[in-house]
Structures are given as C-alpha cells and as structure tokens.
Amino acid sequence: MSSSAKPIVYIISAPSGSGKSTLVNELLTKVSDLEFSISYTTRAPRGSEKNGRQYYFVSRPEFEKMIRDGEFLEHAEFDSNYYGTARRFLHEAQQNGRDLLLDIDVQGAAQIQQKLPDATGVFILPPDRKTLEERLRKRSEDSEEVILRRLVRASREIENYDRYNYILVNDQLEDSIRALRAIVRGERLVRAGRPLSVEETKTLAFADRFRLANVRDRLNSILDSFRPPGDSGGG
Ligand code: 5GP
C-alpha cells in the first residue's frame, strides 16, 4: 500500500490451540508491509513470551487506566484477563504505509468490525474438537482447569464463524500458510482496483476458495464435533 492509503486491517481469530500463533508468525515473515499489532494483556507471560514481543504485559490497574484514557481501539475480558488493541498501532501502520494484523478474540473482532467495517476477518478452525484438545494438552503450558475452560469457550467462539470473511481449517500448516498469504494478497489486489495479471487472478481465485460462502458446506462436520450430542446447532 502507499503511505497515503488507508491500511488494510486483517483480523485473525481462533479458539486457543488452533495453531493461530504459529500461522501468524509464519505469515509475518512471508508477507511484506504487514505489521503485527502487539496487544496489551493482564495475563502472566507463558514460557518464552517476552514483554513487547507477543504482548505488552501490564497490571490490571495499568490496563484500567488505559481504558479510561481511551487508548484502546477495542478491549475485552477473556478467561478473567483483559486483552486490548492500542489505537496507536493503527496510526503507526498508516504513517508507515503498512497494513495491520490483529490477533484478537471474537468479542474484539466484533468491536473492530463495527468501527472499521472494511476490516478483513479470518477465522481459523481446528479440524475437529479432538484435535484441538490434543493440541491444548501438548502445549502443556496451561493447567487442566484452564484447558477445560478453553475447550468450553472454543465451542462457543466457533459459533461466531459466520461473522468472518474467510474461514481456514488449520489441518496442514503449509496449506494454511499458503491460504493466508493468498487471502492477504487477494485483499490487496481487490482494493488496488487495477487490472490483474494472470498470476494475480489465480491468487485471487485461490483466496476465494476460503471465503465464507464457499466453505459453509465443509464446516458442518467440524461444528458438529463441538456440539453436545443431539444438538443440531439450533438451525
Ligand atoms: P492467549 O492468552 O492464548 O494469548 O490469548 C487468548 C485470546 O485473547 C486469544 O483468542 C487471542 O486472540 C485474544 N487476544 C489477544 N490479544 C487480544 C486483544 O488485543 N484484544 C482481544 N479482544 N483479544 C485478544
């Protein structure tokens, strides 16, 4: 994008354990001019997480002061902790002529979509509930109680999939990265509004495969795996 253009805001949401962080990190190394919005959170750092890299780790009073000062574009409470996107990242992206990538939950995504209706939402799904549970356990960074809470929460979050423009089922990492790159490039191409080369047209067609309207049919079995037996999802 040019420095005067509005940045494209990409929102990526997924139940925790869907492999989202890996995908986001890979995407950032492979796509130019895309900035990651480092969120603020009151949760404690996990494992190798560093302040200012994955998150800015702050206390509850500090976070609440930022809310009062209007510093957040959106914020939400997730698993008894605050998470929020600082407004300044959007301004900085615009100034630097870069697009912005937000890794936020479904509540935050809904707030952004209200404020920035042109934002592009991508929802990442695990192949099924069992795979998600295995991934959460393998990560072994969370207690059993947290894992169970996150599974219940995942079932609820997943029901919001149809608020997103694109849906990606993260089965094979390489395939998912390819899809994400195509989605980012595709949105840039559409918004550039110029004639496309043959290669660009192919990229766009590939990205289109992941549009909500084109994946609905394939989602049913995944959604069913997260629903209690006998629940058809309320129509
Ligand atoms: P985790 O604790 O696993 O890093 O993140 C928990 C959830 O918070 C994830 O769904 C993540 O996308 C979401 N999250 C991270 N940063 C933000 C943020 O700034 N705002 C909102 N609303 N959610 C966020």
Side-chain angles (χ1 to χ4, degrees):
M1 61 173 283
S2 75
S3 56
S4 58
K6 259 186 7 187
I8 303 177
V9 174
Y10 297 93
I11 304 170
I12 300 199
S13 300
S16 61
S18 305
K20 180 181 50 173
S21 308
T22 310
L23 283 177
V24 165
N25 289 335
E26 282 287 311
L27 183 69
L28 289 166
T29 63
K30 294 203 157 82
V31 174
S32 61
D33 295 331
L34 185 61
E35 216 152 275
F36 180 64
S37 161
I38 303 170
S39 296
Y40 284 77
T41 183
T42 57
R43 86 148 160 76
R46 282 195 202 114
S48 60
E49 286 180 338
K50 295 257 178 314
N51 189 39
R53 177 127 8 117
Q54 293 82 3
Y55 286 104
Y56 291 107
F57 297 98
V58 296
S59 67
R60 260 186 115 79
E62 281 171 314
F63 197 101
E64 283 163 355
K65 180 170 187 318
M66 289 182 73
I67 298 176
R68 285 197 301 277
D69 292 346
E71 288 191 41
F72 290 118
L73 194 57
E74 65 72 35
H75 69 275
E77 204 156 352
F78 181 101
D79 207 11
S80 308
N81 286 302
Y82 282 128
Y83 292 82
T85 306
R87 287 181 195 281
R88 67 182 163 87
F89 279 97
L90 189 59
H91 298 146
E92 280 171 19
Q94 173 131 29
Q95 270 166 2
N96 298 336
R98 292 158 69 100
D99 294 326
L100 191 64
L101 182 66
L102 310 184
D103 166 349
I104 59 178
D105 81 330
V106 295
Q107 308 168 75
Q111 294 175 49
I112 298 287
Q113 281 157 347
Q114 272 215 332
K115 288 183 183 160
L116 308 170
D118 286 344
T120 298
V122 183
F123 196 77
I124 297 169
L125 282 169
D128 51 50
R129 187 185 193 279
K130 193 165 156 272
T131 310
L132 183 70
E133 187 167 349
E134 280 166 11
R135 287 181 185 166
L136 281 171
R137 286 191 197 289
K138 229 193 251 162
R139 190 162 82 174
S140 70
E141 285 168 342
D142 297 311
S143 67
E144 183 65 18
E145 192 196 338
V146 169
I147 290 173
L148 292 178
R149 261 208 319 268
R150 289 194 167 203
L151 274 170
V152 171
R153 185 168 190 125
S155 310
R156 261 187 280 136
E157 285 178 329
I158 279 171
E159 297 293 336
N160 293 289
Y161 73 93
D162 60 355
R163 298 191 193 165
Y164 291 74
N165 305 87
Y166 296 90
I167 310 286
L168 212 66
V169 180
N170 187 20
D171 201 349
Q172 298 297 322
L173 183 68
E174 285 309 311
D175 293 345
S176 301
I177 302 282
R178 239 180 97 223
L180 264 183
R181 286 178 75 181
I183 290 167
V184 169
R185 280 193 68 204
E187 285 292 319
R188 287 176 171 175
L189 291 171
V190 167
R191 293 174 201 225
R194 57 165 173 76
L196 302 181
S197 68
V198 173
E199 190 260 332
E200 288 170 339
T201 306
K202 279 189 192 157
T203 299
L204 210 57
F206 181 60
D208 274 350
R209 287 203 219 160
F210 304 95
R211 279 193 183 275
L212 177 61
N214 299 331
V215 294
R216 272 188 195 277
D217 290 347
R218 272 186 284 148
L219 292 179
N220 287 336
S221 65
I222 300 174
L223 297 172
D224 281 347
S225 74
F226 280 90
R227 289 180 183 136
D231 180 354
S232 63

